[in-house]
Amino acid sequence: MSTLARSFSEVTTGIRDRARSNSQVRRNSHNAGGSEVSLWRKHNTFPKTEHNARMRAAEAFEHETKLPGKRNGALGSIGLDVLRCLLRLRGRKDGRLDPTYQWIADKIHKSRSAVVEAVARLKACGFLDWIRRCVPIEDALPDEQQSEQISNAFILLQPPTVRECVRRMLRKPSEFVRAVAEKMARQKKLDTATVDDVIAEVQSPELRAILARVRASVDSANPPSGHTETL
């Protein structure tokens, strides 16, 4: 084989190998670095005390859903292992959580298929959700695949009953109690506020100036001594 033919063969082989190495993009996949960032911050960032409470609540959920004569509950022992692994792995500051199924399987010493089934159970029970993601392939030729699949972005959730259980563990006030407390605080502030306090709360500078002039006019017409000023 000539040098030119050998070089051409190496190039075309490299292209074929690269095309084979790219994973097919699954339906409903989103570009990485999009919506998952805000969802990670919203759902995956919480203090370590809540981390432990979530795990205890999940274990209680597993116990409560275990039927007589059955070995596991709704989550299963592997489901608890996966959840524990994800809770420990999440980014403390940004909530990032995007391991591969194989990485989780290696970490908890289970098969990949067992992890996939456990993740599906966690989602069905309201403990987990995910976003399928893809990234563009650099230097892809026009007739080649333009994007490839990457690991899912996992979002840590809580079913309503588990959320209430976690709240009790942390002794946090419920949404209703917190709303009532805020309303009472606002009412107390209004009851004790002076006219100057009310004027200071006005956001518009123009309206605030008008109210201040009205206040000054009223004070001038009704002085503390009870005697109006001589015109």
Side-chain angles (χ1 to χ4, degrees), residues 29 89-90 94 97 102 104 135 139 170-171 178-179 207:
S29 294
L89 181 63
R90 68 187 175 88
D94 58 6
L97 189 59
Q102 189 59 55
I104 299 172
V135 293
D139 303 325
L170 299 176
R171 291 191 173 92
R178 185 160 48 248
L207 181 57

Side-chain angles (χ1 to χ4, degrees), residues 208-227:
R208 194 162 57 244
I210 293 172
L211 293 175
R213 288 197 296 271
V214 172
R215 167 68 190 280
S217 177
V218 172
D219 289 345
S220 176
N222 300 279
S225 62
H227 300 285

Side-chain angles (χ1 to χ4, degrees), residues 84-98:
R84 186 178 294 106
C85 177
L86 294 176
L87 284 169
R88 290 173 177 171
L89 181 63
R90 68 187 175 88
R92 296 298 187 269
K93 294 183 179 180
D94 58 6
R96 180 175 178 175
L97 189 59
D98 54 356

Side-chain angles (χ1 to χ4, degrees), residues 1 13 24 27 43 70 74 78 113 126 134 142 152 156 162 175 185 189 201-202 213 223:
M1 181 183 296
T13 300
Q24 294 295 321
R27 185 180 300 175
H43 296 285
K70 296 294 183 179
I78 299 180
S113 59
C134 62
N152 295 334
L156 297 169
V162 172
E175 293 294 333
K189 184 177 181 180
E201 290 290 331
V202 177
R213 288 197 296 271

